[in-house]
Amino acid sequence: MDSKNKYQTSKNKDFFQALSHAWDGLKIIFTKENNFKSHLVTIGFILVAGIIFQVGFNNFMWLLSACFLVLNAEVINTLFEYLVDLVLGNKYDPLAKKIKDVAAGGVLLTSLFAVIIGLIVFSPVLTSIFKAFVNS
């Protein structure tokens, strides 16, 4: 982007410009948001476990879908946090707190869904580990 368009206020000219802005947004999430990084680490362990324990293609797709839903919820939560901070700056407002709390609650609900999916997918593995532990 040339210097006169450094601060773009108009619509994107083409797909590649839109893609560039989307990439910039992902860089912000990856570098600035600790919760997103924590989710990525956890997701990495879950997906590796799915591969190691050979959960099957369909179950792996459920895991992958649940993981991406959690990441998407975290992006939406971050969006609400940034919007509230943009409007209010450093001022406290009880409605702003509600907005941020509800957005964080969305992440929690999505994460609980992902945990349920994980328990369903990994239940045969967990059952066999538990049986082996009890029988030893």
Side-chain angles (χ1 to χ4, degrees):
M1 198 179 301
D2 59 6
S3 62
K4 71 177 185 173
N5 289 331
K6 183 176 181 185
Y7 301 109
Q8 178 183 342
T9 57
S10 60
K11 282 188 76 67
N12 295 319
K13 294 176 187 156
D14 55 34
F15 170 77
F16 295 104
Q17 189 177 31
L19 186 62
S20 172
H21 293 306
W23 183 251
D24 290 343
L26 287 178
K27 286 191 289 190
I28 291 167
I29 291 289
F30 284 123
T31 59
K32 305 282 185 201
E33 297 301 321
N34 289 330
N35 286 341
F36 194 85
K37 292 180 205 176
S38 299
H39 289 307
L40 284 176
V41 170
T42 303
I43 286 168
F45 284 120
I46 290 166
L47 296 180
V48 167
I51 293 168
I52 290 171
F53 294 116
Q54 301 175 347
V55 296
F57 179 78
N58 288 338
N59 283 336
F60 193 81
M61 293 308 293
W62 275 104
L63 289 175
L64 196 60
S65 296
C67 290
F68 272 95
L69 283 173
V70 170
L71 293 178
N72 193 46
E74 188 61 49
V75 168
I76 292 168
N77 179 52
T78 301
L79 170 69
F80 277 106
E81 290 176 352
Y82 285 170
L83 282 171
V84 168
D85 292 347
L86 174 67
V87 171
L88 292 179
N90 290 329
K91 292 184 276 180
Y92 175 79
D93 184 283
L95 183 57
K97 181 185 180 333
K98 286 181 185 177
I99 292 168
K100 288 183 173 187
D101 289 351
V102 168
V107 176
L108 180 61
L109 279 175
T110 308
S111 298
L112 290 173
F113 171 75
V115 167
I116 291 167
I117 295 297
L119 289 173
I120 292 169
V121 167
F122 288 113
S123 63
V125 173
L126 295 172
T127 302
S128 64
I129 291 171
F130 179 73
K131 285 181 181 178
F133 179 74
V134 169
N135 292 333
S136 62

